[in-house]
Amino acid sequence: MATAVAPLPAPAAPALGLRAAVLLLAATYVVATVSVAWRPADNPVAGWWPAAGLAVALVALVRPGARRLVAATVGVAVATGLANLTAGRTPDVSAAFGAVNAAEAVVAGLVLRARPTPGPPTLGTLQDFVRLLVAAALGGVVIAVGSGTVVWAMLDGGFLATARTTSPAHAAAILVVLPLALTWRLRGGPAADRGELAAQVTLLVVSISLVFLPAQELALTFVPLTLLVWAALRFDLRVVSVQLAGFAATTTYLNALGWGPFAAEIDEGFTSQVGAASLCQLYVVCAALMTVPLALLLAERNRLAAQASAEEVLFRRNFTDSLLGQLLLRLEGGALRVVDANDTAADVLGRPHGSLLGLPLGDLLATPTELDVRTAAGQSWRGRVSVRGDASTRVEVALSRLSHGDDDDRRVVWSAQLLDVSAEHVARQRLEAAERLTSATLDTTAAIILVTDLEGRIVRVNAATTGLTGWTEADLVGRTIAETSLVAGAPDLDALFLWPNRSGQPVVREADATTRDGSTLRVLWSNNMVRDEQDLPAYAVLTGIDVTTERASAGLVSHLMRAAITTAIIGVDDHGRITVFNAGAELMLDHDAGRQVGQRFLDLLDPDQVSERLGSRDPDKAFATLVRGIGSGELPARDWLWVARDGSRRVVSMSLSATAGGVTPQVGFLCVGRDVTEQRQGQDMLVAALEKERTAVERLRALDEAKNEFVSTVSHELRTPVTSIVGYTEMLQDGTVVDPLPDQLPLFDTIARNGQRLIVLCNDLLTLAGLDSESITWEAEQVDLGEVLCAVEESVAPLVADRDLELLVERPDSPAVVVGDPAQLERVVLNLVTNAIKFTEDGGVVRARVEVSGDEVVLTVTDTGIGIPTEEQDNLFQKFFRSSTAQKEAIQGTGLGLSIVSAIVSAHGGTIRVRSAHLEGATFTVRLPVKY
């Protein structure tokens, strides 16, 4: 593939040499001298200063280097200073104007030289033109400030008037001269039509002559501008720059003679000669701003068009001559259709070139549905598919989007690159089939298989190796046999690698192998060489069979039979005779194993139980009944009474299973018995204990119910007489019966206060009894806790009326609604607030607040009272509990209020928490679910 065409760079003006710099300084001197000499009579400065453009061009185009830049700056100062001196100004004024002109040239020139890429300034893009505008503006500002200061300080002139005159004059000079300087020595663009150019120039000259006739007052200043725009649209930037310079010089000269619309304003008294000169320079600035950017845009468009044309030619050459099959497609009717194809694509698809055009891509290739989804989303796709109609082929496809068509999908061009990989696909299939066969053979073999090269380095490990030894393929591949712990060194294994061309008989031996976790396996190895088609050794294959279990089984069984274990293992043949009697059976029954072999198995069991369960006392019939349901399985464990040597009975959990008849002809069944005598006795004792505990629980529950009933009955019976006592006491207090004596009133108050305490105690006891028995009927209404808090505030007002205590109540702006029993919820709020008041000393603060937090309504009651010790807070909500601090301070209370609050909150699906410490106040927080 060829490299893409690089973007055409914008044209750059060549740096100035010494001779060119000297000529430019000389031109600056001459033009400056003429400008100073022809300045308006009523103005201390020139109305147009083309020398500014020449000076800026000199600084901007001088070759890089600080010395050259300093030399150019000094040259500008000397040339403009000499020009002022030649035109008749004093040396000091001339030197000042020279320094100001040099400063302007340096500022504007450095702006032009400040390009993002190295090299001389250019005028090829709008960014370059913006840089030129900035240079002209900064140059105008510098010359305005500098010349205004010189005129005001040295010539007794006006600062602002001088600045207004010099700024447009110098800016116009920079905007006119710099484009000409930056494009003068550049090679032109496409040749312009000479006839059209001549006509345009003629009309421009005529229009300037008509507009700037003596005493011309008609508003025709736009006519030359349109002709300059004509030049910008049709000719290159150099032609436009030349015409702009000529236009500026001509209009300035004619305006200086008093001709044209700007000078006509002088005669009518609307402006002065200085003002007319400034208007003329602004007119020149407008012409530059209209023509130069337009010419730059067209030049850049032409460069881009040329680049696009070159890239199209290159693309077409790459497309046609590519070794890859290439298709150009467009999305039409929801499918990608071929609009162009090269010959390679036709060969890959096996169709004539002409028959491909217009066909959907899906008719040519067996593409997946994923492709339609990705193309609809404008995403690229890469994959391997077959040619439609030939499943044996394989084509590598890379589909990508080449262009963007905005909202019109038909304008979007897609590219598909095709690479025929059918031969590779067939070869890969064969290799994969052989690999799958080899892998299946290795992985389905339940043995350790190691494949090594001729140096003994492992190249392949099967799955069984990992399962048996724990060593993974990543652990072993690349290591030599000697570096592993699977195969210990042996002469026959070393000989396998040193002399591989032997008879071909495998080397068989048995050795230990260490697994990854450090355990040892007994492995039977069979090792041999694999030879290639030339009968030369290629690989070594080491096959190991784990015989650890087989080798250890005989010794294990023997050891198991001799081991002093508590489990009885007894082998029984088909006739019910004992064949194996282990040490556990000897220990359990105190029988000698040698004497028991050959005896009937049922002789070990209690005869009465055998007769009861098996229905016969005949040993043969009973044994047949016992093993009838076994078949090839196992009878579930069941408790039997076994008879020991001394005649005692042992409870044995016995299971009976059948053994394979081909292993040992004399053994048909295996009995495993475990002595559970003590366990069964313990279970019986546990059952008896549990029955006693159940009886005790039922008695405690009955006592609890009796207690609740007693409390309820006593509270009811006590509340009636106490209510009567309180009522009669009130009658005695208010004089209903007889006027009380003064010394009797305190006694009546004491009786009433304690009677109220007894009534509250009765009510609390009745509430708790109802909560415990779940006999309270709850109302389900919507309750605004904010209103409840306000009601509680009114209720407790008498409690704080005669105390130095601050009660703060905060309720939310919006309703805080929950569902519950209004009376019970008011009781919760009232209990918490009265507790806070009761346990807070004078001078303290009690704060109650209701707010909505998420899906909960939160009630917070905070006080600065005596607090609750941390170690006592776990028992705070228990019945009759009172903190040690409250008892020490002798604060009255029953210890039932918080228990009732907790029960009510829990019944409403809420929670209550406390945060407190000794003498540090307390905060109670109640959270209830919000009603939405």
Side-chain angles (χ1 to χ4, degrees):
M1 296 293 292
T3 305
V5 177
L8 297 176
L16 295 178
L18 179 60
R19 185 173 63 178
V22 171
L23 291 176
L24 202 56
L25 282 174
T28 302
Y29 168 74
V30 173
V31 173
T33 302
V34 174
S35 298
V36 175
W38 286 4
R39 72 182 185 275
D42 58 347
N43 193 23
V45 293
W48 190 41
W49 191 257
L54 296 175
V56 173
L58 175 62
V59 174
L61 296 176
V62 72
R63 292 179 179 176
R67 293 183 179 179
R68 293 187 179 90
L69 185 60
V70 172
T73 304
V74 173
V76 170
V78 172
T80 54
L82 288 177
N84 281 275
L85 188 63
T86 303
R89 284 179 172 163
T90 60
D92 55 344
V93 173
S94 299
F97 275 118
V100 172
N101 282 282
E104 174 196 18
V106 169
V107 171
L110 290 179
V111 170
L112 292 173
R113 294 170 71 99
R115 301 176 65 245
T117 57
T122 63
L123 190 59
T125 63
L126 285 180
Q127 289 81 1
D128 296 335
F129 182 70
V130 171
R131 197 177 296 109
L132 176 61
L133 283 180
V134 174
L138 292 179
V141 171
V142 171
I143 197 65
V145 174
S147 61
T149 303
V150 172
V151 170
W152 172 76
M154 304 181 71
L155 299 178
D156 298 329
F159 178 86
L160 293 178
T162 302
R164 285 197 300 268
T165 302
T166 55
S167 180
H170 285 247
I174 294 173
L175 290 175
V176 170
V177 175
L178 260 298
L180 184 62
L182 294 175
T183 60
W184 180 253
R185 297 180 61 183
L186 299 179
R187 184 175 62 184
D193 186 350
R194 293 186 178 184
E196 182 184 1
L197 179 60
Q200 185 266 341
V201 171
T202 301
L203 291 175
L204 179 62
V205 173
V206 171
S207 65
I208 294 173
S209 301
L210 292 176
V211 172
F212 284 87
L213 286 175
Q216 169 59 258
E217 297 180 359
L218 296 177
L220 299 175
T221 52
F222 69 91
V223 177
L225 298 181
T226 59
L227 295 171
L228 287 173
V229 170
W230 179 6
L233 290 173
R234 297 293 297 167
F235 312 125
D236 61 29
L237 184 59
R238 183 171 58 175
V239 173
V240 174
S241 300
V242 172
Q243 291 190 15
L244 183 62
F247 169 78
T250 303
T251 55
T252 302
Y253 175 70
L254 294 178
N255 185 72
L257 294 178
W259 297 359
F262 305 120
E265 301 292 327
I266 301 175
D267 299 335
E268 297 180 5
F270 292 115
T271 186
S272 61
Q273 188 176 4
V274 175
S278 298
L279 289 175
C280 184
Q281 296 309 304
L282 291 175
Y283 180 56
V284 172
V285 170
C286 291
L289 293 178
M290 291 177 63
T291 55
V292 175
L294 184 57
L296 285 174
L297 282 174
L298 293 175
E300 191 167 4
R301 185 199 67 178
N302 292 335
R303 286 198 302 273
L304 291 176
Q307 178 183 349
S309 177
E311 289 183 349
E312 182 178 2
V313 172
L314 179 61
F315 174 78
R316 175 54 59 181
R317 185 182 302 121
N318 288 341
F319 181 80
T320 304
D321 300 337
S322 176
L323 295 178
L324 291 175
Q326 296 200 24
L327 300 176
L328 294 181
L329 310 104
R330 279 198 176 92
L331 192 61
E332 298 178 2
L336 290 173
R337 295 184 179 272
V338 179
V339 296
D340 199 357
N342 64 354
D343 294 337
T344 307
D347 294 338
V348 171
L349 298 174
R351 293 173 179 251
H353 181 276
S355 65
L356 297 177
L357 303 182
L359 291 178
L361 183 62
D363 291 351
L364 301 174
L365 298 170
T367 56
T369 55
E370 175 194 5
L371 178 62
D372 298 332
V373 177
R374 295 184 71 89
T375 54
Q379 299 176 353
S380 300
W381 179 81
R382 187 184 185 95
R384 179 173 293 188
V385 297
S386 62
V387 177
R388 183 71 70 181
D390 189 357
S392 63
T393 59
R394 285 296 182 274
V395 179
E396 192 78 29
V397 181
L399 183 68
S400 59
R401 186 171 178 169
L402 293 182
S403 64
H404 298 272
D406 300 331
D407 297 331
D408 189 359
D409 290 338
R410 292 174 298 177
R411 297 172 55 190
V412 179
V413 179
W414 294 76
S415 170
Q417 296 184 351
L418 312 178
L419 178 62
D420 188 1
V421 292
S422 300
E424 176 187 348
H425 173 67
V426 173
R428 184 185 296 275
Q429 283 186 322
R430 294 175 179 173
L431 287 175
E432 290 177 353
E435 179 68 19
R436 286 194 298 271
L437 178 60
T438 303
S439 298
T441 303
L442 292 177
D443 293 338
T444 55
T445 303
I448 301 172
I449 299 179
L450 306 176
V451 182
T452 73
D453 57 18
L454 297 181
E455 297 179 355
R457 194 172 303 277
I458 299 174
V459 298
R460 182 70 184 272
V461 176
N462 71 332
T465 301
T466 303
L468 292 172
T469 68
W471 296 107
T472 64
E473 187 173 5
D475 297 330
L476 299 176
V477 171
R479 301 172 63 184
T480 62
I481 289 294
E483 294 174 349
T484 69
S485 60
L486 295 178
V487 184
D492 52 0
L493 186 60
D494 296 337
L496 182 67
F497 294 103
L498 292 177
W499 298 286
N501 296 314
R502 50 188 184 80
S503 62
Q505 294 296 323
V507 178
V508 179
R509 66 188 183 92
E510 189 173 318
D512 290 336
T514 304
T515 64
R516 185 166 188 168
D517 59 6
S519 59
T520 301
L521 296 179
R522 193 66 178 176
V523 180
L524 179 64
W525 291 100
S526 178
N527 311 321
N528 207 342
M529 302 298 297
V530 176
R531 300 176 181 273
D532 57 16
E533 61 274 6
Q534 298 178 357
D535 199 30
L536 295 176
Y539 297 99
V541 178
L542 285 69
T543 305
I545 301 175
D546 182 11
V547 295
T548 306
T549 304
E550 289 79 355
R551 297 294 181 267
S553 60
L556 179 61
V557 170
S558 176
H559 176 75
L560 183 62
M561 293 297 102
R562 295 193 303 268
I565 59 177
T566 59
T567 301
I569 301 176
I570 300 174
V572 183
D573 63 14
D574 294 337
H575 303 290
R577 300 286 180 173
I578 297 174
T579 59
V580 176
F581 200 85
N582 77 328
E586 290 184 3
L587 183 63
M588 182 186 301
L589 303 177
D590 194 23
H591 284 300
D592 181 75
R595 294 182 179 181
Q596 288 299 317
V597 173
Q599 300 296 320
R600 289 189 181 92
F601 169 70
L602 291 183
D603 291 344
L604 298 177
L605 307 184
D606 181 82
D608 295 334
Q609 190 179 59
V610 169
S611 176
E612 178 184 351
R613 292 184 178 181
L614 301 180
S616 176
R617 287 186 175 273
D618 184 350
D620 295 333
K621 292 181 179 181
F623 183 77
T625 303
L626 178 64
V627 300
R628 183 180 301 158
I630 295 180
S632 60
E634 178 180 358
L635 288 178
R638 188 178 183 184
D639 289 352
W640 289 82
L641 291 177
W642 286 21
V643 182
R645 182 179 179 182
D646 58 1
S648 61
R649 267 50 175 176
R650 311 292 296 175
V651 180
V652 178
S653 177
M654 182 185 80
S655 63
L656 196 64
S657 59
T659 60
V663 177
T664 303
Q666 296 179 347
V667 178
F669 303 96
L670 181 65
C671 173
V672 178
R674 184 168 56 89
D675 188 357
V676 294
T677 303
E678 296 180 357
Q679 181 180 348
R680 295 296 181 262
Q681 292 174 353
Q683 289 176 351
D684 293 340
M685 295 173 64
L686 178 60
V687 169
L690 290 175
E691 181 63 23
K692 290 181 180 180
E693 182 178 358
R694 184 186 63 80
T695 303
V697 169
E698 290 179 353
R699 291 179 179 177
L700 289 175
R701 184 179 296 110
L703 289 174
D704 193 48
E705 292 176 356
K707 179 204 69 175
N708 290 336
E709 184 177 355
F710 172 76
V711 170
S712 177
T713 302
V714 169
S715 299
H716 275 292
E717 296 299 327
L718 184 63
R719 185 169 57 176
T720 301
V722 170
T723 303
S724 299
I725 293 172
V726 171
Y728 288 128
T729 304
E730 291 177 354
M731 295 175 62
L732 293 173
Q733 284 178 312
D734 59 17
T736 302
V737 179
V738 63
D739 293 333
L741 298 176
D743 55 351
Q744 292 176 338
L745 290 176
L747 300 177
F748 292 154
D749 290 340
T750 302
I751 295 172
R753 184 172 62 255
N754 286 283
Q756 291 294 339
R757 287 182 60 191
L758 285 175
I759 291 174
V760 170
L761 177 60
C762 291
N763 289 336
D764 288 346
L765 289 173
L766 287 174
T767 300
L768 281 175
L771 291 172
D772 290 340
S773 63
E774 299 182 355
S775 62
I776 293 182
T777 301
W778 301 94
E779 299 293 337
E781 300 179 8
Q782 294 187 10
V783 182
D784 185 355
L785 279 190
E787 296 180 358
V788 172
L789 183 60
C790 291
V792 169
E793 181 184 12
E794 296 178 0
S795 300
V796 301
L799 300 179
V800 298
D802 298 331
R803 297 186 57 186
D804 182 16
L805 189 67
E806 184 177 5
L807 175 61
L808 302 177
V809 176
E810 302 175 12
R811 57 175 294 182
D813 297 333
S814 58
V817 180
V818 300
V819 175
D821 190 310
Q824 299 298 339
L825 291 176
E826 182 176 357
R827 185 168 191 166
V828 169
V829 181
L830 182 62
N831 275 7
L832 293 178
V833 174
T834 54
N835 273 1
I837 294 173
K838 181 167 62 174
F839 292 106
T840 301
E841 300 174 345
D842 287 350
V845 178
V846 175
R847 178 180 285 105
R849 180 177 62 199
V850 172
E851 60 182 347
V852 178
S853 176
D855 57 353
E856 293 179 327
V857 174
V858 182
L859 167 66
T860 306
V861 179
T862 304
D863 63 67
T864 59
I866 61 177
I868 305 164
T870 304
E871 63 274 9
E872 299 179 3
Q873 293 177 13
D874 291 339
N875 302 321
L876 190 60
F877 298 104
Q878 294 182 3
K879 301 175 187 177
F880 304 106
F881 175 79
R882 302 190 70 232
S883 68
S884 59
T885 306
Q887 296 178 21
K888 182 178 180 181
E889 297 292 334
I891 299 176
Q892 296 179 354
T894 63
L896 297 176
L898 289 179
S899 177
I900 295 174
V901 167
S902 176
I904 295 174
V905 171
S906 177
H908 283 75
T911 60
I912 182 169
R913 297 289 185 271
V914 62
R915 185 179 72 254
S916 179
H918 181 57
L919 301 179
E920 294 184 7
T923 298
F924 288 85
T925 303
V926 176
R927 296 180 179 269
L928 296 172
V930 173
K931 165 61 179 175
Y932 289 102

